[in-house]
Amino acid sequence: MLKKNSGSKCVISMHSRTTTTIQDPKNPEHVKTFTFDLAYWSHSGFQKDKDGVLISADPTSKFAGQRDVFHDIGRGILDSAWQGYNATLLAYGQTGSGKSYSMIGFGANKGIIPSVCEELFQAIENQGRNQEYQVTFSMLEIYNEQIRDLLSRTKKPGGLKVREDQQLGFYVEGLKTVPCENYAQIEKLMEQGTKIRTTASTNMNASSSRSHMVITVQLKQVFLDKALTKQSSIHLVDLAGSERQKSSGSEGDRLKEGSRVNLSLTSLGNVISALADAAMGKKVLHIPYRDSVLTKLLQSALGGNSRTTLIAAISPADICYEETLSTLRYAERAKKVRNNAVVNTWSRAENKTLLGCGNSGAAEQSACFLADHQLGTYAIQETWAHLLEQARREWEQQYAAIAQERQMVKTLPHLLNVNEDPQLTGVLKHFIHTGSCVAGQAASNAIILQGLGISDKHASFTNMDGKVTVTPHSKCKVIVNGVPITSKTKLQHLDRVILGSNSAYLYIGFPSERGSEDLNRFDYDFFQLERAAAEGVSMDKLGAGSNRDGQVDPSVLAVFQDYIKLMPLVAEANQMSEELKKELKMELKVKNLASSDSMGYELQKEVMVKVTNQRTHEVWIWSKSKFINRKFLMEELYQRFLDREDSHVAQEDDPFWDPVEVIHLGSAHVWLQSLAYCMKFEEQVEFLNCDGLEEAVLHIHIAPCSPTGQVYGEEDMIIDPFELLGKRMDFQIHIVQCLGVKWLKEDAKRGIQIGYRIYDLPNTLYTKPIWKIVNPQIEEIVQFAALNASQEFLNYLQTNALIVDLWGLQEGCAELSCSQLDFIVTGEGHIVVDTKKISNVKNTSQTPSDQMSELYLKVLKLEQETELLRNINRALREENVFLKESLEKIGSGQQVHKPSNTLKVTRMTSQLPSAREINQMCTQQDSCDKEFAKALKVFYQSMNTARGQFLRLRQYKPPEDDQMLRPFVHQQSQMLKDLGDLLESSMWKLKNDVALIVKKKREYLLYIKQ
């Protein structure tokens, strides 16, 4: 829902009932089409009927609802079961793609599992009297390679064990299998299993999206008149979210492959790939069934005795393109797998032998049946009737408890749990009785809560005089409607309450307060969005401006979604760190939130996690994937702590530890237009960190100079940058000082380095490390030379900024450095930029690179000197011809003594300017050029100042405290006024300066005409 509401584009299309086409959002011409047995479209073209069931909006709609999916897939599963075949349905896909919705359903839209069970019993009721039907139900969950029985309220430490029998194969020892007489009982069992799953996920801090759920319905048909029995097992498997497979891979993490959370999915993919290769005729030596719990239990379903169907649920959103493409490829491989299913039947004589001899003597006679019995063996020690009677007594107790809970829901205010998995939302209810009741982990509390950050006595809920209040105990974390509270707070109907790190509840008020509200809108995403908004995180903050077609940038949507999803995970990681006494504080940051490239365009944003050791002040920056991988490992360590096992690990295996590293603190932009006009300039620019706040101030000089390093003055300025085209251009970058470095203020033991890379330099240049000085004086000068300035380089100077990066050093980390061998240098030792022509020569040459560079530079220098001499020679020739012609005319005039001729010569000579006048004219021209250059310099400096003010204004955030809003608005208005005044005064001064220059030019032209 978050993806759809935030404006993502659809990249999936289905032009038939069997084809699925996906379009690359970054390259729309790149399209892939996949063909499957069935393809269902459920993204659009639907409406709700009177019962709330989603149906096609019109006859032309492609929409396929839950009934369509059941008709095609569910009935096929039932048909296989009636015939005596084993049937398996696997649901694969990323979290949020509709995988669990297809399997379980939501509200009135029942999924395949309840529909299969309901229709099974409807069919049993219509069968003849000469048949007896025995249906059993089991439900388990696999998380982190541990099996939890979801129909048992007692948790076995370490989970249930998978055993292997020579005839039976793999099975779960001790799994509870419940006999059922009707669909209502299965419905109640699923509710019970879901409740235990919800509680378990809270206690273990394990999201349901990271666990597999396996439901097994066993159907036994006894034909009394034929002395024949058929047995079939229906395995319905809702797999964990597939995106975890990639996230936990964590590029660059020293603790790769450390977590077992994804082992089952990885192993399942390996099994499917091996079976697909075998089906294609390739030689496969080994099928890795034994690599995980899941693949052991599904051995018969994968390449064995079962008719197996895979549902691949995909998200149509562009921000999920990579995951969706991966899912489609996964399904395409699975399509190639071939199974060999057989009908499981045996005669009554075999059945009697089985009852009398147990598992030993009957194994060979009934191997066809027993070989499939892999999700729990049903110990046949009592008659079916006795088992049903025992189950009925349990049902009666459960029905009484359910009836009591329903009555309390109608009369008492209560807390309703909200889970990341919609299937687990609303399962737990905590009732607030009249008076005061304490909530927390202690068994003596009226409301017993489990979960990260929940204290023994966490908060008190008071129900008095028709109102309910909540009061946190001590420093316990309680959030109401996204805002942390520290004192007694009155709750209103439908308030959102978060206790501890991330235990979310919706408060349901008194019956008099309730209406016909749609509670579904208060889902998990609603809670996290509200929490993010209270912390000042929004799409606007991330820069989600609309592009030309009115759509929001998909990359910004992806970052926002990642931020929302990671918020609760970071809160949980911090709580685990606190309880394990690791002293780490983790906080979400957005990389490149306030950063831009050298042309001022925003950079690609991504979520990262800043990790700080509060004791040593060491800092790390973790990527999203690295953090997710580390959190899996933290959970394993934390679970050992909860189970009172040894939670001590060696430092190199500790997910809370990393070696120290260099940290990027911020970037500064130094615009280079002045250099294009051969003007030196001095700047003090801010280093902005990832939050857009000032980290330090950089003092920098950039000046054009001669090859010998002599800095040019104002008289060397030019009007048109392209006067430099094809000529040598030298300049110096002088890093003077770094002022007010916050990184150094926070810890005196730290250091800094500054790095930058201009134009086409292959690597970054770094200053020398400086330690323990808050205002370090750097004083490093590097001279660069463009030997033959290209048009591209001159364009770069006019439109780009030099990006200077500030890096933070920590004790023990490796310092940043660069090798001079990576650069081309001149004979004077200056670094060469604009090396495109040099690169072309080097690429076509067989000479060693160092010799080639030196040889080319010498040839280039000679060519430049030759061209300069040619230009001088050409100019001297033209001047010589002009002087000769002038002398000839003057000489011929002096030889004629006629008055008329004298008058003519006088007129002619008077038209020629004297040497002094020529000198004045040149001086006047130079003066105009200098004045114009000075005006441009002042204007560019003003524009640089204005740009800095604009960037500060852009990153200026409103305060969280409402009382500070008025001063904030006043200060922002003043900043806007100052910016406007600066722009207006800069333009006015430029206009005046240009007008004065034009006036002088006109006076000069009038003088020439006279």
Side-chain angles (χ1 to χ4, degrees), residues 761-820:
L761 283 188
N763 291 305
T764 302
L765 288 166
Y766 296 101
T767 62
K768 62 181 180 295
I770 296 183
W771 296 84
K772 306 176 183 179
I773 302 174
V774 176
N775 298 308
Q777 196 79 22
I778 298 171
E779 295 294 350
E780 289 198 17
I781 301 174
V782 179
Q783 184 161 330
F784 300 89
L787 300 178
N788 189 8
S790 65
Q791 184 169 340
E792 292 82 3
F793 179 61
L794 296 174
N795 288 337
Y796 165 82
L797 293 179
Q798 293 178 81
T799 58
N800 285 255
L802 175 69
I803 298 180
V804 185
D805 292 307
L806 180 64
W807 295 91
L809 304 178
Q810 307 181 76
E811 277 191 306
C813 74
E815 296 172 351
L816 299 169
S817 62
C818 57
S819 172
Q820 289 291 333

Side-chain angles (χ1 to χ4, degrees), residues 182-229:
N182 52 57
Y183 170 65
Q185 291 176 346
I186 284 188
E187 202 171 26
K188 293 296 178 293
L189 285 173
M190 287 180 65
E191 288 180 9
Q192 176 186 332
T194 302
K195 188 170 185 176
I196 292 174
R197 190 183 188 197
T198 306
T199 305
S201 70
T202 303
N203 293 352
M204 294 176 63
N205 186 40
S207 168
S208 65
S209 65
R210 285 176 268 151
S211 65
H212 315 286
M213 183 183 69
V214 182
I215 288 176
T216 300
V217 178
Q218 292 184 345
L219 170 64
K220 184 177 179 182
Q221 306 173 66
V222 181
F223 298 90
L224 301 176
D225 55 345
K226 298 179 183 179
L228 183 70
T229 300

Side-chain angles (χ1 to χ4, degrees), residues 686 688 692 945-958 968-980:
E686 297 173 336
L688 297 179
T945 305
R947 182 181 286 105
Q949 287 190 11
F950 176 72
L951 288 173
R952 283 193 295 273
L953 186 62
R954 183 177 171 186
Q955 303 303 329
Y956 198 46
K957 301 181 182 66
F968 165 78
V969 172
H970 174 74
Q971 190 171 356
Q972 191 177 50
S973 300
Q974 187 61 44
M975 290 174 71
L976 284 168
K977 182 178 180 302
D978 292 344
L979 179 61

Side-chain angles (χ1 to χ4, degrees), residues 697-882:
V697 174
L698 170 68
H699 186 188
I700 185 172
H701 292 179
I702 299 182
C705 62
S706 67
T708 59
Q710 183 177 354
V711 175
Y712 290 152
E714 293 184 355
E715 65 277 2
D716 297 302
M717 298 177 197
I718 60 172
I719 297 175
D720 186 354
F722 291 102
E723 291 179 32
L724 299 170
L725 187 61
K727 298 179 182 178
R728 173 164 177 164
M729 179 182 179
D730 286 78
F731 58 93
Q732 295 175 348
I733 296 180
H734 179 190
I735 306 291
V736 182
Q737 191 177 13
C738 199
L739 303 169
V741 185
K742 291 182 180 178
W743 172 259
L744 300 173
K745 289 178 182 178
E746 292 168 0
D747 190 334
K749 298 177 183 178
R750 293 171 172 173
I752 64 157
Q753 280 184 273
I754 291 175
Y756 61 90
R757 186 170 69 178
I758 189 167
Y759 195 49
D760 58 357
L761 283 188
N763 291 305
T764 302
L765 288 166
Y766 296 101
T767 62
K768 62 181 180 295
I770 296 183
W771 296 84
K772 306 176 183 179
I773 302 174
V774 176
N775 298 308
Q777 196 79 22
I778 298 171
E779 295 294 350
E780 289 198 17
I781 301 174
V782 179
Q783 184 161 330
F784 300 89
L787 300 178
N788 189 8
S790 65
Q791 184 169 340
E792 292 82 3
F793 179 61
L794 296 174
N795 288 337
Y796 165 82
L797 293 179
Q798 293 178 81
T799 58
N800 285 255
L802 175 69
I803 298 180
V804 185
D805 292 307
L806 180 64
W807 295 91
L809 304 178
Q810 307 181 76
E811 277 191 306
C813 74
E815 296 172 351
L816 299 169
S817 62
C818 57
S819 172
Q820 289 291 333
L821 298 176
D822 296 330
F823 305 110
I824 301 172
V825 295
T826 66
E828 302 93 345
H830 309 321
I831 296 175
V832 178
V833 294
D834 195 13
T835 58
K836 187 175 181 181
K837 290 185 178 180
I838 298 176
S839 300
N840 291 339
V841 173
K842 288 171 67 177
N843 290 339
T844 58
S845 173
Q846 301 300 320
T847 313
S849 59
D850 292 343
Q851 296 177 9
M852 188 62 235
S853 300
E854 187 177 351
L855 181 61
Y856 176 78
L857 291 173
K858 289 180 179 178
V859 171
L860 194 61
K861 189 173 182 180
L862 286 172
E863 285 181 356
Q864 288 178 324
E865 290 175 353
T866 303
E867 185 62 29
L868 181 62
L869 289 173
R870 284 174 183 164
N871 290 338
I872 293 171
N873 188 40
R874 192 181 300 112
L876 289 172
R877 281 182 181 178
E878 290 174 358
E879 187 176 355
N880 189 36
V881 170
F882 173 75

Side-chain angles (χ1 to χ4, degrees), residues 145-168:
E145 290 300 282
Q146 292 187 8
I147 298 175
R148 172 72 186 257
D149 188 346
L150 295 179
L151 299 184
S152 173
R153 287 184 169 82
T154 58
K155 180 196 172 187
K156 186 175 181 181
L160 301 180
K161 302 302 179 185
V162 177
R163 304 298 184 191
E164 185 179 11
D165 183 271
Q166 191 171 1
Q167 271 75 35
L168 301 178

